[in-house]
């Protein structure tokens, strides 16, 4: 898919979602126009009232259907309340199938023919005799308001922005570009609306219409020009929105590429440097590569849920650690409830990444069928100030503690050296029920009073 196609996709889906709100607003405005017309019948002579009521029935039915079309949740409630009306299901399926497509639908046809009947039989050439000039001005204005809103909905239909190919963005699907005849009709609407309204309402077809000053009738008719203004304005706003979305997407892609390149390059370079060192330790290289994989997975999770800041939660870190393991191994590992919401500053978060990835990987590789992880935070005095103490416990039901757990062939010897810089260490103990319990702890460089607000630090050891 090339750039122009992608831009067309964004243009269409932006139009669909923006016009959902527009159609809801215009549906209620059309209802208000009809309410004015129905209320004006109270000042219509009794002999002409039946004629006027008949002129409004079809357009009123079309408007009610349009409101249902604009509110899927209202349709859902009606479906639940009328399970024995299969015709209603077919009608609602028809309404659902026209969303985001330029096509004829039942509400549009009812409103279209209803407008013609209303214009001809209420305020046009076949309008009733008797309403005074003030009533006629109100009716004429309400009719033109209604007509203009309907035509705005037609020319701003999202289906006209759909690209030729099939498009799926989120839950929105496009079935291809609009029919050429509909595109031609769309272009004719602004001029056609002015000509038709002028032909119906400017000449003095009836005594009631003649009672309205011609200048007032011309001004009301010119209001139909709002169709072209709204159409032009919507296209400009749509272009700006799509351009902004494309620019933001480009920035995000550039940043993601830089982050991925930097992360991968750093991780691999450290592993290569360790492998070429005179003091080469295979366990150290293995730990560095595992840490790089977890970092990349964290980056992926951060792209999906941005804004986590320089640190992160234990839950996010746990998800990253599990994602670099196979499904079978992943199912053996459990994080104690309540730990996932704990937040760690940047440095402590990076240490926790090393500790979790190493200890959990070692436990499952040793054959443990169940690995339980607990993270807790306490307080300790360090250089006459109170600091946070982070402790991670990994308990497993494996074959027991390896005699060389902190020997030269273990990656934990490197990790233990890192923790020692933060007044921490790793301790092993055999469990009475079988298996091993590993405790890793260290003191945070960040004062306890500056700890992330999401963490409730209890008074501890």
């Amino acid at each position: 898919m090339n750039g122009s196609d992608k831009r067309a996709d964004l243009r269409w889906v932006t139009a669909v979602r923006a016009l959902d709100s527009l159609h809801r607003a215009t549906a209620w405005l059309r209802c208000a126009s009809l309410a004015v017309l129905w209320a004006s019948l109270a000042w219509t002579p009794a002999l002409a009232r039946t004629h006027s009521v008949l002129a409004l029935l079809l357009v009123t039915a079309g408007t009610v259907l349009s409101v249902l079309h604009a509110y899927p949740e209202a349709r859902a409630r009606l479906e639940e309340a009328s399970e024995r009306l299969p015709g209603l299901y077919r009608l609602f399926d028809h309404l659902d199938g026209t969303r985001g497509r330029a096509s004829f639908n039942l509400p549009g046809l009812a409103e279209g023919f209803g407008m013609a009947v209303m214009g001809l039989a209420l305020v046009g050439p076949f309008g009733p005799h008797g309403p005074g000039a003030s009533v006629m001005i109100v009716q004429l204005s309400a009719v033109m308001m209604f007509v203009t809103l309907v035509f705005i909905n037609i020319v701003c239909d999202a289906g006209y922005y759909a690209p030729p190919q099939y498009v799926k963005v989120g839950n929105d699907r496009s079935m291809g570009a609009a029919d050429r005849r509909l595109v031609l009709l769309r272009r004719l609407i602004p001029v056609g609306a002015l000509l038709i309204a002028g032909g119906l309402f400017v000449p003095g077809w009836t005594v009631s219409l003649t009672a309205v000053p011609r200048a007032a009738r011309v001004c009301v008719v010119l209001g139909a020009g709002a169709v072209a203004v709204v159409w032009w304005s919507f296209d400009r706003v749509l272009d700006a929105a799509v351009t902004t979305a494309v620019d933001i997407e480009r920035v995000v892609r550039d940043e993601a590429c830089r982050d991925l390149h930097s992360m991968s390059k750093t991780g691999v370079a450290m592993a290569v440097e360790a492998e070429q060192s005179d003091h080469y330790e295979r366990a150290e290289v293995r730990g560095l590569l595992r840490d790089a994989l977890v970092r990349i997975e964290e980056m992926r999770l951060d792209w999906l849920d941005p804004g986590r800041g320089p640190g992160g939660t234990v839950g996010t870190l746990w998800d990253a650690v599990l994602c670099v393991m196979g499904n079978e191994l992943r199912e053996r590992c459990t994080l104690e409830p309540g730990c996932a919401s704990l937040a760690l500053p940047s440095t402590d978060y990076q240490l926790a990444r090393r500790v979790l990835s190493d200890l959990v990987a070692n436990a499952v590789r040793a054959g443990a069928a169940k690995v339980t992880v607990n993270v807790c935070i306490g307080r300790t005095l360090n250089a006459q100030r109170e600091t946070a103490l982070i402790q991670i416990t990994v308990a497993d039901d494996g074959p027991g503690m390896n005699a060389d757990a902190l020997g030269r062939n273990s990656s934990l010897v490197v990790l233990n050296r890192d923790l020692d810089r933060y007044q921490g260490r790793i301790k092993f103990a055999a469990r009475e029920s079988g298996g091993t319990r590993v405790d890793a702890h260290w003191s945070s460089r960040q004062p306890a009073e500056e700890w992330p607000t999401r963490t409730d630090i209890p008074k501890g050891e």
Side-chain angles (χ1 to χ4, degrees), residues 163-234:
Q165 72 274 13
Y166 172 80
V167 175
K168 181 179 185 297
V169 182
N171 295 324
D172 297 310
R173 293 176 174 82
S174 165
M175 302 308 294
D179 185 272
R180 292 182 179 180
R181 291 169 294 182
L182 289 175
V183 173
L184 177 61
L185 177 63
R186 182 195 191 203
R187 293 173 179 172
L188 295 176
I189 282 176
V191 175
L194 284 171
L195 293 177
I196 293 173
L200 288 178
F201 308 135
V202 173
W205 297 106
T206 63
V207 174
S208 298
L209 197 57
T210 305
V212 179
R214 184 182 295 271
R217 282 178 274 158
V218 170
C219 289
V220 170
V221 168
L222 290 177
V227 174
V229 175
V230 172
W231 181 5
W232 181 86
S233 301
F234 179 74

Side-chain angles (χ1 to χ4, degrees), residues 318-381:
W318 180 249
D319 291 339
V321 170
L322 292 185
C323 279
V324 300
M325 302 170 59
N327 290 332
E328 180 183 353
L329 300 180
R330 198 179 306 172
E331 293 173 356
R332 305 181 192 178
C333 306
T334 304
L335 181 67
E336 289 286 358
C339 298
S341 61
L342 295 178
L344 301 175
S346 178
T347 301
D348 300 305
Y349 185 82
Q350 294 173 30
L351 282 172
R353 178 198 299 120
R354 292 280 310 280
V355 171
L356 282 177
S357 61
D358 274 11
L359 295 185
V360 173
N362 287 339
V364 295
R365 191 168 58 245
K370 182 179 180 181
V371 180
T372 303
V373 176
N374 184 42
V375 181
C376 61
I377 302 170
R379 287 181 177 178
T380 185
L381 287 176

Side-chain angles (χ1 to χ4, degrees), residues 89-294:
Y89 290 114
R90 289 195 291 270
L91 171 62
F92 289 169
D93 286 343
H94 163 72
L95 296 180
D96 290 333
T98 59
R99 181 176 183 268
R101 299 176 59 189
S103 61
F104 292 105
N105 55 48
L106 189 58
L109 291 173
E111 284 188 317
F113 286 108
M115 284 192 305
V117 173
M118 180 173 62
L120 291 170
L122 186 65
V123 294
F126 305 103
H129 297 285
S134 58
V135 174
M136 181 59 64
I137 290 176
V138 170
Q139 291 180 333
L140 188 60
S141 300
V143 168
M144 284 306 304
M145 173 67 76
F146 186 95
V147 170
T148 302
L149 292 172
V150 169
F151 283 140
I152 285 175
N153 274 2
I154 294 174
V155 299
C156 291
D157 194 299
Y160 291 116
Y161 301 95
Q165 72 274 13
Y166 172 80
V167 175
K168 181 179 185 297
V169 182
N171 295 324
D172 297 310
R173 293 176 174 82
S174 165
M175 302 308 294
D179 185 272
R180 292 182 179 180
R181 291 169 294 182
L182 289 175
V183 173
L184 177 61
L185 177 63
R186 182 195 191 203
R187 293 173 179 172
L188 295 176
I189 282 176
V191 175
L194 284 171
L195 293 177
I196 293 173
L200 288 178
F201 308 135
V202 173
W205 297 106
T206 63
V207 174
S208 298
L209 197 57
T210 305
V212 179
R214 184 182 295 271
R217 282 178 274 158
V218 170
C219 289
V220 170
V221 168
L222 290 177
V227 174
V229 175
V230 172
W231 181 5
W232 181 86
S233 301
F234 179 74
D235 279 357
R236 301 292 76 74
V237 173
L238 186 60
D239 288 341
V242 172
T243 301
T244 302
V246 171
D247 289 343
I248 291 175
E249 182 183 43
R250 185 179 298 111
V251 170
V252 170
R253 287 177 181 272
D254 290 343
E255 292 180 352
C257 289
R258 285 197 300 270
D259 290 346
L260 183 59
H261 175 265
S262 175
M263 183 71 70
S264 303
K265 180 179 178 181
T266 302
V268 173
M270 291 177 63
V272 171
E273 182 179 349
E275 190 273 334
Q276 294 176 346
S277 171
D278 295 336
H279 307 286
Y280 165 70
E281 295 180 5
R282 184 178 60 182
E284 181 180 2
V285 174
R286 185 170 62 243
L288 289 171
L289 290 175
R290 187 188 302 119
D291 186 58
L293 288 175
V294 174

Side-chain angles (χ1 to χ4, degrees), residues 319-452:
D319 291 339
V321 170
L322 292 185
C323 279
V324 300
M325 302 170 59
N327 290 332
E328 180 183 353
L329 300 180
R330 198 179 306 172
E331 293 173 356
R332 305 181 192 178
C333 306
T334 304
L335 181 67
E336 289 286 358
C339 298
S341 61
L342 295 178
L344 301 175
S346 178
T347 301
D348 300 305
Y349 185 82
Q350 294 173 30
L351 282 172
R353 178 198 299 120
R354 292 280 310 280
V355 171
L356 282 177
S357 61
D358 274 11
L359 295 185
V360 173
N362 287 339
V364 295
R365 191 168 58 245
K370 182 179 180 181
V371 180
T372 303
V373 176
N374 184 42
V375 181
C376 61
I377 302 170
R379 287 181 177 178
T380 185
L381 287 176
N382 184 14
Q384 303 304 314
R385 69 173 183 176
E386 196 173 44
T387 60
L389 181 71
I390 301 97
Q391 180 167 315
I392 296 178
T393 301
V394 178
D396 66 67
D397 60 354
M401 182 174 57
N402 186 348
D404 191 36
L406 287 176
R408 178 177 176 82
N409 296 325
S410 170
S411 62
L412 297 180
V413 67
V414 180
L415 179 59
N416 203 34
R417 287 201 303 261
D418 289 341
L419 293 181
D420 184 62
R421 295 163 53 199
Y422 296 89
Q423 295 80 48
R425 59 174 296 190
I426 299 176
K427 295 187 297 184
F428 288 80
R431 302 174 65 197
E432 294 182 0
S433 58
T436 306
R437 171 190 169 105
V438 187
D439 292 309
H441 72 272
W442 68 93
S443 297
S444 175
R445 293 287 177 87
Q446 186 165 342
E449 61 269 15
E450 298 177 8
W451 197 264

Side-chain angles (χ1 to χ4, degrees), residues 78-79 81-92:
L78 283 176
E79 285 180 339
S82 53
E83 296 180 355
R84 298 183 180 180
L85 297 175
L88 198 61
Y89 290 114
R90 289 195 291 270
L91 171 62
F92 289 169

